[in-house]
Amino acid sequence: MEPKNIWQTVLGEIELQISRPNFLTWLKHSELVEQNTKEGVALVSLPNNFAKEWVKTRYHKLILSSLRTIDSSIKNVDYVVSTRTAVPPSVKTVPRASAQGALTEEKSQLPITELRIDPKTNLNPRYTFASFVVGSSNELAYAATQAVIKHVGKKYNPLFVYGGVGLGKTHLLQAAGNAIIEEYKGATNVLYITSEKFINDVVWAIRNKRTDDMKKKYRDVDVLIIDDIQFIGGKTSTELEFFYTFNALHETNKQIIISSDRAPAAIPTLEDRLRSRFEAGMIVDISNPDFEMRLAILKSKNQDQGWNIDEKILHTIASKVQRNVRELEGVLNKVAFYQQYKQETVDAKKIEEIIGEVVQVASKNITANEVIKTVADFYEVSPSDLTDRSRKQEVVEPRQIAMYLLRDILKLSYPHIGEKLGKRDHTTAIHAYEKITKEISQNPSLNQKINLIKERVYKTV
Ligand code: ADP
Ligand code: MG
């Protein structure tokens, strides 16, 4: 099927699931630019940065699942701003946003290829130090990263950066990767990977008897950057594989940079020998930005994007949005959207409204299938192992956890849960829910696993 036809089919499906005005506003001018790259990524273009961010946050899961029903080898979807995509007349007079979001005509002419993630390194050129604000909450992490860039493999190895969601870990790690490539003019092989993708690779390689290829891929690099390592904990086969890879690289003075949402000591599912390897390197944290820094970040983005948002508004946002940088950005983008595109005045009431919306988005649009898939991924089984009648021992725990989470997160009825997970009786679902509820309070490791799964479910991709 042609990308055009595939996209028609996907849109047809989505149109049924979201409101007409939303569909027209956000998706009407979308296109499927590339159906499926070697890495299994479909590329969707949108006419401007707002549409891109909006579609990515609100409709990503819908789009991905719909594409996958047509082509199951698609693993992810990337979004780009394309100047080729038709733009509605009302927006045409306004300069469009580029990948960096800069509202300049010149940058909006960038060809799509320049906006792409480099398939060799997985690095996104958008993450640079030029757009990274350094302040009290991240200055140590920043300094350590700079030292690593200067003395690759020789100074802090591994460098372990931890901190909560949306505080800039991915930005810092990717900026480090980009800086290393620039500094050494491509003589250094950098590979960025999320632990999620690493896990998939290992599982795939084991299933397909291709572990040698996988080993080569990971051990051939000079700088390995692993993002969100906390998801590795608790999975024996991937953890072991990572341990060997880690040792192989470390022994040959290759640089390893790791991020996690918590310190190594606070990942109880992590094996001790891996934890002590991490602790032998440099550990730095990123904490929540204080008011000064939040304001600095807002000012910097406001300037980079050429938005002219009033200083007073920036103050209000900086004082009200305290949790993380991602939310700060989300609120700023929306304010800009109302101001620049819709030419509305953004008053105090409107800001409150926008903050409410942005902070809520995270928990919306979760479906039962996503919960089941996340549990299955965590336990390295396939979702169908959980949804069919299999009595295999290794799926008993994941299935019970899936039942528990469908009740806990989505408040589904017990008969519905039983039906969904292997056509079982509602009493089985009740039993699972009660059993897990009880065990959570007695078993810290189970509690930890469930928290990790929940975080993953809530994580906006
Ligand atoms: P994490 O990986 O810790 O969850 P990200 O790196 O994804 O967080 O950051 C979330 C968003 O906030 C990104 O768009 C990132 O560019 C931005 N951001 C985070 N920290 C900073 C900073 N210090 N300066 C500028 N932008 C930042
Ligand atoms: Mg991240």
Side-chain angles (χ1 to χ4, degrees):
M1 237 200 286
E2 289 277 302
K4 207 166 153 214
N5 299 338
I6 293 179
W7 196 235
Q8 286 280 308
T9 316
V10 170
L11 288 183
E13 205 169 285
I14 293 177
E15 200 173 356
L16 299 174
Q17 298 183 55
I18 69 177
S19 76
R20 183 90 193 132
N22 269 336
F23 181 78
L24 293 177
T25 312
W26 302 113
L27 287 163
K28 192 154 175 268
H29 298 279
S30 58
E31 269 176 26
L32 184 64
V33 208
E34 215 169 316
Q35 179 190 337
N36 192 350
T37 63
K38 275 210 295 298
E39 292 73 35
V41 178
L43 196 64
V44 171
S45 78
L46 282 317
N48 56 58
N49 218 24
F50 291 108
K52 180 185 129 190
E53 290 304 317
W54 189 270
V55 167
K56 203 163 92 180
T57 357
R58 305 291 277 250
Y59 306 129
H60 173 74
K61 287 176 177 167
L62 267 179
I63 292 174
L64 181 60
S65 70
S66 174
L67 274 170
R68 291 190 54 137
T69 56
I70 300 169
D71 179 349
S72 62
S73 67
I74 295 176
K75 297 201 191 67
N76 208 347
V77 185
D78 261 355
Y79 303 87
V80 290
V81 176
S82 166
T83 47
R84 285 195 336 206
T85 313
V87 175
S90 59
V91 180
K92 224 170 193 160
T93 50
V94 184
R96 272 166 271 143
S98 73
Q100 280 77 28
L103 283 166
T104 59
E105 272 298 354
E106 188 200 347
K107 285 201 176 166
S108 71
Q109 300 303 324
L110 280 177
I112 284 173
T113 46
E114 287 193 47
L115 313 179
R116 293 284 308 276
I117 292 172
D118 180 344
K120 199 166 152 271
T121 61
N122 290 334
L123 289 169
N124 184 335
R126 144 179 138 80
Y127 293 112
T128 61
F129 285 115
S131 60
F132 191 74
V133 175
V134 181
S136 54
S137 80
N138 63 9
E139 61 194 354
L140 268 182
Y142 174 80
T145 311
Q146 292 302 323
V148 162
I149 295 168
K150 273 222 181 74
H151 314 275
V152 175
K154 300 202 184 81
K155 184 122 178 154
Y156 302 132
N157 207 8
L159 172 64
F160 191 103
V161 180
Y162 74 92
V165 172
L167 295 180
K169 301 181 296 296
T170 297
H171 191 141
L172 183 68
L173 263 58
Q174 291 234 11
N178 284 320
I180 289 172
I181 288 176
E182 202 174 307
E183 179 93 18
Y184 302 92
K185 300 282 171 267
T188 307
N189 279 332
V190 179
L191 181 65
Y192 166 92
I193 183 133
T194 60
S195 73
E196 225 166 347
K197 171 90 172 40
F198 182 81
I199 292 165
N200 285 343
D201 270 15
V202 172
V203 172
W204 186 90
I206 292 172
R207 279 203 187 129
N208 295 282
K209 306 203 169 26
R210 298 277 291 276
T211 45
D212 286 346
D213 293 351
M214 177 203 58
K215 285 197 171 87
K216 188 163 161 26
K217 168 175 166 193
Y218 286 104
R219 294 176 195 185
D220 259 6
V221 301
D222 304 306
V223 180
L224 181 63
I225 305 177
I226 297 232
D227 207 354
D228 286 325
I229 194 92
Q230 73 272 8
F231 292 126
I232 275 195
K235 294 171 213 229
T236 342
S237 54
T238 42
E239 211 175 335
L240 202 62
E241 198 47 60
F242 181 70
F243 182 72
Y244 293 141
T245 304
F246 182 98
N247 286 345
L249 292 173
H250 197 257
E251 278 160 16
T252 46
N253 290 327
K254 303 295 172 61
Q255 180 70 45
I256 300 155
I257 310 177
I258 298 169
S259 87
S260 162
D261 68 347
R262 66 204 78 188
I267 314 179
T269 48
L270 202 64
E271 262 199 70
D272 282 343
R273 53 184 176 171
L274 202 47
R275 181 173 312 136
S276 57
R277 288 286 195 280
F278 294 165
E279 284 170 347
M282 174 74 169
I283 301 183
V284 283
D285 75 322
I286 300 186
S287 54
N288 294 58
D290 58 13
F291 175 81
E292 299 304 316
M293 197 173 154
R294 297 198 296 270
L295 188 61
I297 289 171
L298 290 170
K299 281 186 174 167
S300 141
K301 303 225 180 261
N302 187 35
Q303 194 177 12
D304 286 354
Q305 319 276 50
W307 286 334
N308 292 327
I309 293 172
D310 203 71
E311 183 86 40
K312 250 175 56 200
I313 295 184
L314 301 183
H315 270 260
T316 313
I317 302 175
S319 67
K320 297 208 157 144
V321 182
Q322 303 177 350
R323 202 157 44 169
N324 66 45
V325 185
R326 189 169 298 152
E327 286 180 0
L328 270 182
E329 272 189 342
V331 171
L332 187 69
N333 283 344
K334 270 201 157 175
V335 167
F337 172 70
Y338 284 109
Q339 199 177 288
Q340 317 279 121
Y341 281 76
K342 299 185 90 178
Q343 315 271 309
E344 283 178 25
T345 32
V346 178
D347 55 12
K349 194 169 146 268
K350 188 79 198 168
I351 296 181
E352 287 291 341
E353 203 182 294
I354 291 173
I355 292 174
E357 283 167 16
V358 169
V359 177
Q360 251 184 36
V361 168
S363 56
K364 275 193 189 152
N365 293 334
I366 297 170
T367 66
N369 285 343
E370 280 154 15
V371 173
I372 293 169
K373 170 141 193 340
T374 311
V375 175
D377 284 351
F378 187 84
Y379 284 92
E380 297 177 4
V381 296
S382 86
S384 61
D385 284 338
L386 303 183
T387 54
D388 68 21
R389 297 193 57 90
S390 151
R391 292 189 178 276
K392 277 190 279 183
Q393 194 52 36
E394 68 265 27
V395 304
V396 173
E397 177 171 304
R399 190 185 281 129
Q400 286 183 338
I401 288 181
M403 288 180 164
Y404 167 82
L405 289 174
L406 289 180
R407 181 71 187 174
D408 186 59
I409 298 176
L410 298 179
K411 317 278 177 242
L412 296 189
S413 71
Y414 289 119
H416 187 168
I417 295 173
E419 172 66 27
K420 190 113 194 126
L421 290 164
K423 301 209 184 324
R424 284 168 167 75
D425 195 68
H426 71 281
T427 53
T428 311
I430 296 177
H431 170 74
Y433 180 76
E434 288 176 348
K435 176 163 176 271
I436 301 291
T437 308
K438 189 159 150 247
E439 271 181 32
I440 286 176
S441 60
Q442 296 162 352
N443 178 346
S445 145
L446 180 75
N447 190 26
Q448 171 74 18
K449 285 184 198 165
I450 290 180
N451 283 336
L452 284 175
I453 295 169
K454 273 193 183 173
E455 277 168 30
R456 182 95 66 101
V457 168
Y458 285 118
K459 192 171 103 183
T460 40
V461 192

